[in-house]
Amino acid sequence: QVQLVESGGGLVQAGGSLRLSCAASVNIRSIYSIGWHRQAPGKQREVVALSFSFGDTNYGDSVKGRFTISTDDAKNTVDLQMNSLKPEDTAVYYCFATYNGYANWGQGTQVTVSS
């Protein structure tokens, strides 16, 4: 099991930027995949961005070109830089990691984009 602690989030106007950060309790190099999902009210949870231990990254179609995921091996953190935010990006963002074959989730952080 890995503990994931998120920071960042908040309220921003459309077109603005926010940065989310997630700190993992284990060496991030030992995590198969780590990244972010989000869930808007009344909608299913969806993948935002994932970073894989073998070097690949994966983005949800709705955020491609606007969001960037990055990892810091020294700090065991994964960040999500969100630019050109839209009202439809409003959701609870969850840090997610696949570790030893199990899914692990953070507590979630609210991102609200006003129009």
Side-chain angles (χ1 to χ4, degrees):
Q1 186 177 2
V2 56
Q3 305 298 320
L4 302 168
V5 180
E6 300 124 334
S7 61
L11 174 65
V12 66
Q13 288 188 333
S17 299
L18 280 175
R19 189 175 185 90
L20 306 181
S21 186
C22 173
S25 62
V26 300
N27 189 327
I28 202 168
R29 295 182 181 180
S30 67
I31 297 174
Y32 173 72
S33 67
I34 188 166
W36 299 88
H37 287 62
R38 70 185 181 187
Q39 188 166 20
K43 295 186 177 181
Q44 289 188 332
R45 195 169 294 190
E46 62 177 355
V47 172
V48 177
L50 292 174
S51 176
F52 294 87
S53 58
F54 50 85
D56 200 5
T57 57
N58 185 30
Y59 291 93
D61 288 340
S62 62
V63 307
K64 287 179 180 177
R66 300 188 297 122
F67 291 10
T68 303
I69 190 170
S70 61
T71 57
D72 188 324
D73 292 351
K75 297 180 179 179
N76 293 323
T77 57
V78 57
D79 289 357
L80 183 70
Q81 178 64 42
M82 304 183 293
N83 298 328
S84 302
L85 283 161
K86 304 175 181 180
E88 50 263 44
D89 293 318
T90 295
V92 177
Y93 284 69
Y94 295 92
C95 187
F96 168 84
T98 302
Y99 180 68
N100 287 343
Y102 291 91
N104 299 265
W105 297 91
Q107 78 280 5
T109 186
Q110 178 70 44
V111 172
T112 303
V113 184
S114 63
S115 57

